[in-house]
Amino acid sequence: MGSGTGMGVGVGMGVNGLKWQGWVVGMLGLSCLLVFAPLGLYVWASGGPAEPVAAPPEVRVTACRIDPPSRRAVAVLEARGEGSYVATVLFRDRNPAIADAREARTLVRLPGLTPDTPAAHAEAVGPVWAAGAGVWCGVVGVAGETGEG
């Protein structure tokens, strides 16, 4: 049982070394999976590059008046851009310092704007306005119109 060929000792050490290498390779593979799998899922879930968003339209009030027969506040809008939008128009007393100052909002549809056509015009009709009170009109918001409705 001496040291005859020495094969028994070498074989036993070699098997232990192979087991250790297997563990190292397995742990290295598992750590790569833990690091790169979430990254791969993130790239896959994000899809491709985002589609460009159209610039918001230019909407402005070109006239603000009180309609004499109905006493309603009326704002005339001019819009340029691309797509369909809904504009929020604000009506308020020209002199907001008075105690009974009024404020009202209304929505106006601006359908099918295209850059090739001239500016679109729309009227926003507000509430009945008090006699002798001045009215101020302005656009306070523009949002893209959904396909529903």
Side-chain angles (χ1 to χ4, degrees), residues 8-144:
V9 174
V11 170
M13 298 285 280
V15 170
N16 244 353
L18 289 177
K19 282 184 185 178
W20 177 251
Q21 284 179 339
W23 276 102
V24 169
V25 169
M27 293 303 283
L28 186 63
L30 183 62
S31 64
C32 287
L33 186 63
L34 288 173
V35 170
F36 292 112
L39 180 64
L41 286 174
Y42 173 75
V43 170
W44 174 73
S46 68
E51 293 186 23
V53 178
E58 176 190 333
V59 181
R60 64 188 183 105
V61 175
T62 57
C64 183
R65 61 183 168 79
I66 297 175
D67 185 45
S70 66
R71 298 289 310 148
R72 288 189 171 274
V74 177
V76 179
L77 303 176
E78 180 180 275
R80 296 174 194 273
E82 185 172 0
S84 295
Y85 296 90
V86 175
T88 304
V89 179
L90 175 70
F91 299 96
R92 71 174 180 219
D93 283 333
R94 190 172 291 277
N95 185 5
I98 59 176
D100 196 19
R102 296 188 60 189
E103 185 173 296
R105 294 172 189 246
T106 188
L107 300 176
V108 179
R109 288 187 66 217
L110 303 166
L113 299 177
T114 61
D116 301 334
T117 59
H121 295 277
E123 278 194 353
V125 179
V128 175
W129 215 255
V135 65
W136 176 90
C137 309
V139 176
V140 293
V142 179

